[in-house]
Amino acid sequence: DTGVSQDPRHKITKRGQNVTFRCDPISEHNRLYWYRQTLGQGPEFLTYFQNEAQLEKSRLLSDRFSAERPKGSFSTLEIQRTEQGDSAMYLCASSLVRTGSGANVLTFGAGSRLTVL
Amino acid sequence: DQQVKQNSPSLSVQEGRISILNCDYTNSMFDYFLWYKKYPAEGPTFLISISSIKDKNEDGRFTVFLNKSAKHLSLHIVPSQPGDSAVYFCAASGRGGTSYGKLTFGQGTILTVHP
C-alpha cells in the first residue's frame, strides 16, 4: 500500500465551475476524513466517513459541497459553483479506529490544491 | 474561535541544539494531543502523541510535554537536525464518539534548523 492518494494534485478553475476531487485511502482503514487548509492556517475539519456512512459535517461545508464514499472505499469531494473563497488545499486522510485504542492517528494524502480564478 | 493556538509562526535553531515548539488550547474536553510535521508539497505526517492522562511522552529525539492545568503542550526536539526543518502542527481531539479522531489543528510553526 502506498498510502493515501489524492487526485488531481492541482486544479485551476473559473468561478462558477464545478470541481471534483478523489481520495483513495489506505485499504484497511475504516475512517476517511476531508480537511481544508488555507495559507498560513492549519488544516480545518470538513467531514468524515466511517466505512460508507458520512457521520459528521462541519459548518464550513456549505450546501455547495458534497462528499461521498460509495462502498466504503474511495471518496469524492465535489464543489459546485466554485467561488474564489474556495481556493485552498483540500486534504484527505484515513485511519483505522479500534474500540479502546489510543489517539486516532490520521494518515494524510499530499492534498489537492484548488485555485479559483 | 481558535481552540488550538501556536503563537510562534517561526523558530530558527542551530543544528545540534534543542528546538522547543509550543501550543496552547482552550477546550478542556480535549483528550489526545498530536504533533504533525509537514514538508512542502506533502501532506502532514504524524510525529508523536500524548494522552491527557500523561504529562510526558518520548520517542527518540522527540518529547512532548503536557501541562493540563495550564492547557499547554510543547514539543522538544534534541538534538535538532537540518532535516527537521518543516512546518509543525499541534492538534487535539476529544475522546469517544464523533469527536474521536476529529482533529483541531493550530496554525503551525515553521522550524528552520541551520547547519
Side-chain angles (χ1 to χ4, degrees):
Chain A
D1 200 335
T2 56
V4 178
S5 300
Q6 292 189 246
D7 184 71
R9 294 291 307 275
H10 303 275
K11 179 71 176 179
I12 300 174
T13 190
K14 292 183 179 178
R15 188 178 55 184
Q17 297 296 305
N18 299 345
V19 296
T20 300
F21 302 116
R22 176 182 170 120
C23 172
D24 288 273
I26 293 173
S27 56
E28 60 265 28
H29 284 183
N30 55 4
R31 279 204 182 177
L32 185 147
Y33 304 79
W34 285 99
Y35 282 77
R36 180 175 71 186
Q37 184 179 15
T38 53
L39 198 62
Q41 300 297 316
E44 295 175 293
F45 170 79
L46 292 179
T47 187
Y48 86 90
F49 294 81
Q50 174 97 4
N51 300 314
E52 67 273 10
Q54 187 174 17
L55 295 188
E56 187 170 345
K57 294 194 292 185
S58 163
R59 57 181 171 78
L60 294 175
L61 216 63
S62 74
D63 291 344
R64 296 184 298 105
F65 288 70
S66 62
E68 293 182 347
R69 192 184 183 197
K71 303 177 183 177
S73 56
F74 72 92
S75 176
T76 57
L77 177 68
E78 181 184 17
I79 309 174
Q80 296 182 329
R81 305 181 303 281
T82 52
E83 302 173 356
Q84 288 182 326
D86 297 332
S87 295
M89 176 72 82
Y90 290 86
L91 293 163
C92 177
S94 68
S95 70
L96 177 61
V97 174
R98 296 192 191 92
T99 303
S101 58
N104 183 15
V105 176
L106 276 60
T107 302
F108 283 87
S112 293
R113 179 169 296 283
L114 173 65
T115 302
V116 182
L117 302 176
Chain B
D1 176 26
Q2 193 77 29
Q3 297 186 64
V4 178
K5 293 183 182 179
Q6 294 175 256
N7 291 318
S8 298
S10 63
L11 176 67
S12 183
V13 171
Q14 202 69 26
E15 181 178 6
R17 306 295 292 268
I18 185 171
S19 296
I20 300 176
L21 297 103
N22 294 302
C23 178
D24 297 294
Y25 63 96
T26 58
N27 189 340
S28 58
M29 299 301 291
F30 287 144
D31 223 34
Y32 289 104
F33 302 90
L34 304 88
W35 285 93
Y36 277 80
K37 177 172 69 176
K38 186 182 184 304
Y39 293 119
E42 295 182 11
T45 56
F46 171 72
L47 202 53
I48 191 169
S49 67
I50 188 167
S51 163
S52 62
I53 62 173
K54 294 186 175 182
D55 55 18
K56 177 182 174 181
N57 189 27
E58 193 171 351
D59 183 2
R61 297 186 297 114
F62 303 90
T63 302
V64 56
F65 295 93
L66 175 62
N67 183 334
K68 281 189 68 176
S69 60
K71 293 190 174 67
H72 177 85
L73 64 154
S74 60
L75 174 69
H76 292 210
I77 307 172
V78 55
S80 301
Q81 299 172 355
D84 295 330
S85 298
V87 181
Y88 288 78
F89 291 101
C90 170
S93 76
R95 175 189 293 273
T98 58
S99 62
Y100 181 67
K102 188 178 78 175
L103 300 180
T104 301
F105 283 84
Q107 308 95 309
T109 297
I110 302 170
L111 173 65
T112 304
V113 181
H114 298 283

